[in-house]
Amino acid sequence: TLLTQQTINTAQWMCTELDQLSQRLGWYSRQMLGAGTPEFRCNDRFTIAIDELRYQGMAIPEQLQPVFKTIECEGALLQIFAATWAAATPTWSLLLILRNQVGGFLPDGLRLRVADLTGSVKEEQDALNTELLYVRTEARQGTKLVATIVSPAGHVLPLDPYGFEPVPIE
């Protein structure tokens, strides 16, 4: 079913736009958040995480247009941060960061995985005494990526399929 499922065009995030599918699926951008919302405070936590990843040597552009979403996994509320950018043409990068909405550690054994539509895992990380899980992967333009969360019990929660189709400049 993933082959026929609509894909979020992450290239629009770079233009501070969310496509209609992103909005229907509950994604928020910084521009949509008010200073008093829990998601706004979540944005600050992700900014700290991005700074830490840069400090560790991960190449992440300064000008990100991230989006955020709250999801439920086996009774736990999680927040996911997604950002994308064009890498060396014709590739693009996708960064996903997952955290517990109420703070604290993620359940040990929780996994965040990104695969392409052939099922080949591009990147995966397991939680073990950690507050954040992140994956960063690159793909060729036109390639769809599918993110999933795997619970400690082995239940698979598919997230949204992502693609990157450059937006024509008007």
Side-chain angles (χ1 to χ4, degrees), residues 68-109:
F68 309 87
K69 182 178 183 177
T70 300
I71 54 176
E72 189 269 330
C73 179
E74 293 186 1
L77 286 179
L78 307 173
Q79 291 178 322
I80 191 158
F81 161 101
T84 188
W85 58 91
T89 303
T91 61
W92 61 286
S93 290
L94 174 68
L95 172 65
L96 299 173
I97 302 174
L98 184 68
R99 68 177 292 276
N100 191 326
Q101 183 176 11
V102 295
F105 291 122
L106 289 165
D108 285 347

Short mmCIF file of all heavy atoms in Angstrom, two decimals, residues 68-109:
data_model
loop_
_atom_site.label_atom_id
_atom_site.label_comp_id
_atom_site.label_asym_id
_atom_site.label_seq_id
_atom_site.Cartn_x
_atom_site.Cartn_y
_atom_site.Cartn_z
N PHE A 68 6.87 19.48 13.08
CA PHE A 68 6.71 18.73 14.31
C PHE A 68 5.37 18.01 14.30
O PHE A 68 4.41 18.47 13.69
CB PHE A 68 6.71 19.67 15.52
CG PHE A 68 7.88 20.60 15.54
CD1 PHE A 68 7.84 21.82 14.89
CD2 PHE A 68 9.03 20.25 16.21
CE1 PHE A 68 8.92 22.68 14.90
CE2 PHE A 68 10.12 21.09 16.23
CZ PHE A 68 10.06 22.31 15.57
N LYS A 69 5.33 16.90 15.04
CA LYS A 69 4.08 16.15 15.14
C LYS A 69 4.10 15.37 16.45
O LYS A 69 5.15 14.89 16.88
CB LYS A 69 3.97 15.19 13.95
CG LYS A 69 2.72 14.38 13.90
CD LYS A 69 2.72 13.52 12.65
CE LYS A 69 1.43 12.75 12.54
NZ LYS A 69 1.38 11.97 11.29
N THR A 70 2.94 15.22 17.09
CA THR A 70 2.79 14.37 18.26
C THR A 70 2.11 13.08 17.82
O THR A 70 1.12 13.11 17.08
CB THR A 70 1.94 15.07 19.34
OG1 THR A 70 2.61 16.29 19.72
CG2 THR A 70 1.76 14.20 20.56
N ILE A 71 2.66 11.95 18.27
CA ILE A 71 2.10 10.65 17.91
C ILE A 71 1.98 9.81 19.17
O ILE A 71 2.65 10.05 20.17
CB ILE A 71 2.98 9.92 16.87
CG1 ILE A 71 4.42 9.84 17.34
CG2 ILE A 71 2.91 10.59 15.52
CD1 ILE A 71 5.32 9.06 16.43
N GLU A 72 1.12 8.80 19.12
CA GLU A 72 0.92 7.91 20.25
C GLU A 72 1.47 6.54 19.88
O GLU A 72 1.24 6.04 18.78
CB GLU A 72 -0.57 7.81 20.57
CG GLU A 72 -0.89 7.09 21.86
CD GLU A 72 -1.11 5.60 21.66
OE1 GLU A 72 -1.57 5.19 20.58
OE2 GLU A 72 -0.80 4.84 22.59
N CYS A 73 2.25 5.97 20.79
CA CYS A 73 2.82 4.64 20.57
C CYS A 73 2.66 3.84 21.86
O CYS A 73 3.33 4.14 22.86
CB CYS A 73 4.29 4.74 20.17
SG CYS A 73 5.11 3.16 19.90
N GLU A 74 1.77 2.87 21.84
CA GLU A 74 1.51 1.99 22.99
C GLU A 74 1.29 2.78 24.28
O GLU A 74 1.88 2.51 25.31
CB GLU A 74 2.64 0.98 23.16
CG GLU A 74 2.69 -0.02 22.04
CD GLU A 74 3.71 -1.12 22.25
OE1 GLU A 74 4.40 -1.15 23.30
OE2 GLU A 74 3.83 -1.96 21.36
N GLY A 75 0.46 3.80 24.20
CA GLY A 75 0.09 4.58 25.36
C GLY A 75 1.03 5.73 25.68
O GLY A 75 0.72 6.55 26.54
N ALA A 76 2.17 5.80 25.04
CA ALA A 76 3.12 6.90 25.28
C ALA A 76 2.96 7.95 24.18
O ALA A 76 2.81 7.62 23.00
CB ALA A 76 4.55 6.37 25.27
N LEU A 77 2.96 9.22 24.61
CA LEU A 77 2.93 10.31 23.63
C LEU A 77 4.36 10.70 23.28
O LEU A 77 5.16 10.99 24.16
CB LEU A 77 2.17 11.52 24.18
CG LEU A 77 0.65 11.37 24.25
CD1 LEU A 77 0.03 12.62 24.84
CD2 LEU A 77 0.07 11.09 22.88
N LEU A 78 4.65 10.65 22.01
CA LEU A 78 5.97 10.98 21.50
C LEU A 78 5.87 12.18 20.57
O LEU A 78 4.83 12.41 19.97
CB LEU A 78 6.56 9.79 20.74
CG LEU A 78 6.60 8.46 21.47
CD1 LEU A 78 7.04 7.34 20.53
CD2 LEU A 78 7.51 8.53 22.68
N GLN A 79 6.94 12.91 20.46
CA GLN A 79 7.00 14.02 19.51
C GLN A 79 8.10 13.71 18.52
O GLN A 79 9.18 13.25 18.91
CB GLN A 79 7.27 15.34 20.22
CG GLN A 79 6.10 15.78 21.06
CD GLN A 79 6.37 17.07 21.80
OE1 GLN A 79 7.47 17.29 22.27
NE2 GLN A 79 5.36 17.89 21.92
N ILE A 80 7.79 13.97 17.27
CA ILE A 80 8.78 13.76 16.22
C ILE A 80 9.03 15.07 15.50
O ILE A 80 8.11 15.85 15.26
CB ILE A 80 8.37 12.63 15.25
CG1 ILE A 80 9.55 12.28 14.35
CG2 ILE A 80 7.12 12.98 14.48
CD1 ILE A 80 9.46 10.89 13.75
N PHE A 81 10.28 15.32 15.25
CA PHE A 81 10.77 16.50 14.56
C PHE A 81 11.31 16.00 13.23
O PHE A 81 12.00 14.98 13.18
CB PHE A 81 11.89 17.11 15.41
CG PHE A 81 12.82 18.05 14.71
CD1 PHE A 81 12.67 19.41 14.86
CD2 PHE A 81 13.87 17.58 13.94
CE1 PHE A 81 13.55 20.29 14.25
CE2 PHE A 81 14.74 18.45 13.32
CZ PHE A 81 14.58 19.81 13.47
N ALA A 82 10.98 16.68 12.15
CA ALA A 82 11.49 16.30 10.84
C ALA A 82 12.02 17.54 10.14
O ALA A 82 11.41 18.61 10.19
CB ALA A 82 10.38 15.67 10.01
N ALA A 83 13.17 17.39 9.51
CA ALA A 83 13.75 18.46 8.72
C ALA A 83 14.37 17.85 7.48
O ALA A 83 14.79 16.68 7.49
CB ALA A 83 14.80 19.23 9.51
N THR A 84 14.42 18.61 6.44
CA THR A 84 14.99 18.14 5.19
C THR A 84 15.75 19.26 4.52
O THR A 84 15.52 20.44 4.80
CB THR A 84 13.87 17.59 4.27
OG1 THR A 84 14.46 16.96 3.14
CG2 THR A 84 12.94 18.69 3.83
N TRP A 85 16.68 18.88 3.69
CA TRP A 85 17.42 19.87 2.91
C TRP A 85 18.00 19.19 1.69
O TRP A 85 18.18 17.97 1.65
CB TRP A 85 18.51 20.53 3.75
CG TRP A 85 19.53 19.62 4.33
CD1 TRP A 85 20.72 19.25 3.77
CD2 TRP A 85 19.47 18.96 5.60
NE1 TRP A 85 21.40 18.40 4.60
CE2 TRP A 85 20.65 18.20 5.74
CE3 TRP A 85 18.53 18.92 6.63
CZ2 TRP A 85 20.92 17.42 6.84
CZ3 TRP A 85 18.80 18.14 7.73
CH2 TRP A 85 19.97 17.41 7.84
N ALA A 86 18.25 20.01 0.68
CA ALA A 86 18.88 19.51 -0.53
C ALA A 86 20.35 19.30 -0.24
O ALA A 86 21.02 20.17 0.31
CB ALA A 86 18.69 20.49 -1.68
N ALA A 87 20.84 18.12 -0.55
CA ALA A 87 22.27 17.85 -0.43
C ALA A 87 22.86 18.07 -1.82
O ALA A 87 22.30 18.80 -2.62
CB ALA A 87 22.47 16.43 0.08
N ALA A 88 23.97 17.46 -2.12
CA ALA A 88 24.55 17.58 -3.45
C ALA A 88 23.56 17.02 -4.47
O ALA A 88 23.09 15.89 -4.32
CB ALA A 88 25.87 16.81 -3.51
N THR A 89 23.21 17.80 -5.45
CA THR A 89 22.24 17.38 -6.45
C THR A 89 22.70 16.07 -7.06
O THR A 89 23.87 15.94 -7.37
CB THR A 89 22.10 18.47 -7.52
OG1 THR A 89 21.74 19.68 -6.89
CG2 THR A 89 21.06 18.13 -8.55
N PRO A 90 21.89 15.08 -7.21
CA PRO A 90 20.44 15.06 -7.04
C PRO A 90 20.00 14.37 -5.75
O PRO A 90 19.08 13.56 -5.77
CB PRO A 90 19.99 14.27 -8.26
CG PRO A 90 21.07 13.22 -8.40
CD PRO A 90 22.34 13.88 -7.94
N THR A 91 20.63 14.64 -4.62
CA THR A 91 20.24 13.98 -3.37
C THR A 91 19.63 14.96 -2.39
O THR A 91 19.78 16.17 -2.52
CB THR A 91 21.45 13.28 -2.70
OG1 THR A 91 22.43 14.27 -2.39
CG2 THR A 91 22.05 12.21 -3.60
N TRP A 92 18.95 14.41 -1.41
CA TRP A 92 18.36 15.20 -0.33
C TRP A 92 18.57 14.46 0.97
O TRP A 92 18.80 13.26 0.99
CB TRP A 92 16.88 15.47 -0.60
CG TRP A 92 16.01 14.24 -0.69
CD1 TRP A 92 15.96 13.36 -1.73
CD2 TRP A 92 15.07 13.76 0.27
NE1 TRP A 92 15.05 12.36 -1.46
CE2 TRP A 92 14.49 12.58 -0.25
CE3 TRP A 92 14.67 14.21 1.52
CZ2 TRP A 92 13.52 11.86 0.44
CZ3 TRP A 92 13.71 13.49 2.21
CH2 TRP A 92 13.14 12.33 1.66
N SER A 93 18.53 15.20 2.06
CA SER A 93 18.71 14.63 3.40
C SER A 93 17.43 14.74 4.21
O SER A 93 16.71 15.74 4.10
CB SER A 93 19.82 15.37 4.15
OG SER A 93 21.07 15.09 3.58
N LEU A 94 17.18 13.74 5.01
CA LEU A 94 16.04 13.72 5.93
C LEU A 94 16.59 13.45 7.32
O LEU A 94 17.36 12.52 7.53
CB LEU A 94 15.05 12.62 5.55
CG LEU A 94 13.87 12.40 6.51
CD1 LEU A 94 12.92 13.61 6.49
CD2 LEU A 94 13.12 11.13 6.15
N LEU A 95 16.21 14.31 8.27
CA LEU A 95 16.58 14.15 9.67
C LEU A 95 15.31 14.01 10.49
O LEU A 95 14.43 14.87 10.39
CB LEU A 95 17.39 15.35 10.16
CG LEU A 95 17.70 15.40 11.66
CD1 LEU A 95 18.62 14.25 12.07
CD2 LEU A 95 18.33 16.73 12.02
N LEU A 96 15.22 12.94 11.26
CA LEU A 96 14.10 12.73 12.16
C LEU A 96 14.65 12.61 13.58
O LEU A 96 15.65 11.91 13.81
CB LEU A 96 13.34 11.45 11.82
CG LEU A 96 12.72 11.36 10.43
CD1 LEU A 96 12.15 9.97 10.18
CD2 LEU A 96 11.63 12.42 10.26
N ILE A 97 14.00 13.29 14.51
CA ILE A 97 14.37 13.21 15.93
C ILE A 97 13.10 12.88 16.70
O ILE A 97 12.08 13.53 16.53
CB ILE A 97 14.98 14.53 16.45
CG1 ILE A 97 16.21 14.92 15.63
CG2 ILE A 97 15.32 14.41 17.92
CD1 ILE A 97 16.79 16.28 15.99
N LEU A 98 13.18 11.88 17.56
CA LEU A 98 12.04 11.41 18.33
C LEU A 98 12.33 11.60 19.81
O LEU A 98 13.43 11.32 20.28
CB LEU A 98 11.82 9.92 18.04
CG LEU A 98 10.61 9.24 18.66
CD1 LEU A 98 9.32 9.79 18.05
CD2 LEU A 98 10.70 7.74 18.44
N ARG A 99 11.34 12.10 20.56
CA ARG A 99 11.50 12.27 22.00
C ARG A 99 10.16 11.98 22.68
O ARG A 99 9.11 11.99 22.07
CB ARG A 99 11.97 13.69 22.34
CG ARG A 99 10.94 14.77 22.05
CD ARG A 99 11.40 16.16 22.47
NE ARG A 99 11.51 16.32 23.88
CZ ARG A 99 10.49 16.62 24.69
NH1 ARG A 99 9.29 16.81 24.21
NH2 ARG A 99 10.68 16.75 25.98
N ASN A 100 10.22 11.74 23.98
CA ASN A 100 9.04 11.56 24.81
C ASN A 100 8.42 12.95 25.03
O ASN A 100 9.13 13.89 25.38
CB ASN A 100 9.46 10.93 26.14
CG ASN A 100 8.29 10.47 26.95
OD1 ASN A 100 7.23 11.08 26.93
ND2 ASN A 100 8.50 9.39 27.68
N GLN A 101 7.12 13.08 24.83
CA GLN A 101 6.49 14.39 24.95
C GLN A 101 6.63 14.98 26.35
O GLN A 101 6.80 16.18 26.51
CB GLN A 101 5.00 14.33 24.58
CG GLN A 101 4.33 15.69 24.64
CD GLN A 101 2.89 15.65 24.19
OE1 GLN A 101 2.30 14.60 24.01
NE2 GLN A 101 2.31 16.81 24.00
N VAL A 102 6.58 14.13 27.37
CA VAL A 102 6.65 14.64 28.73
C VAL A 102 8.08 14.74 29.24
O VAL A 102 8.31 15.10 30.39
CB VAL A 102 5.80 13.77 29.71
CG1 VAL A 102 4.34 13.84 29.35
CG2 VAL A 102 6.29 12.33 29.72
N GLY A 103 9.05 14.43 28.38
CA GLY A 103 10.45 14.48 28.79
C GLY A 103 10.88 13.15 29.36
O GLY A 103 10.12 12.20 29.47
N GLY A 104 12.12 13.08 29.73
CA GLY A 104 12.66 11.85 30.28
C GLY A 104 13.07 10.89 29.18
O GLY A 104 13.05 11.19 28.00
N PHE A 105 13.47 9.69 29.62
CA PHE A 105 13.98 8.69 28.70
C PHE A 105 12.87 8.07 27.86
O PHE A 105 11.73 7.93 28.31
CB PHE A 105 14.70 7.58 29.46
CG PHE A 105 15.99 8.02 30.10
CD1 PHE A 105 16.18 7.89 31.46
CD2 PHE A 105 17.02 8.55 29.32
CE1 PHE A 105 17.37 8.28 32.04
CE2 PHE A 105 18.21 8.94 29.90
CZ PHE A 105 18.39 8.81 31.26
N LEU A 106 13.25 7.68 26.66
CA LEU A 106 12.37 6.88 25.81
C LEU A 106 12.41 5.44 26.33
O LEU A 106 13.39 5.05 26.98
CB LEU A 106 12.87 6.92 24.36
CG LEU A 106 12.69 8.25 23.64
CD1 LEU A 106 13.54 8.28 22.37
CD2 LEU A 106 11.23 8.49 23.32
N PRO A 107 11.37 4.66 26.07
CA PRO A 107 11.41 3.26 26.52
C PRO A 107 12.60 2.52 25.91
O PRO A 107 12.86 2.63 24.70
CB PRO A 107 10.09 2.68 25.99
CG PRO A 107 9.21 3.87 25.74
CD PRO A 107 10.12 5.00 25.39
N ASP A 108 13.35 1.79 26.73
CA ASP A 108 14.47 0.99 26.22
C ASP A 108 13.95 0.03 25.16
O ASP A 108 12.91 -0.61 25.34
CB ASP A 108 15.13 0.18 27.35
CG ASP A 108 15.99 1.05 28.25
OD1 ASP A 108 16.27 2.22 27.89
OD2 ASP A 108 16.39 0.56 29.33
N GLY A 109 14.68 -0.06 24.07
CA GLY A 109 14.29 -0.97 22.99
C GLY A 109 13.43 -0.33 21.92
O GLY A 109 13.17 -0.95 20.89
#
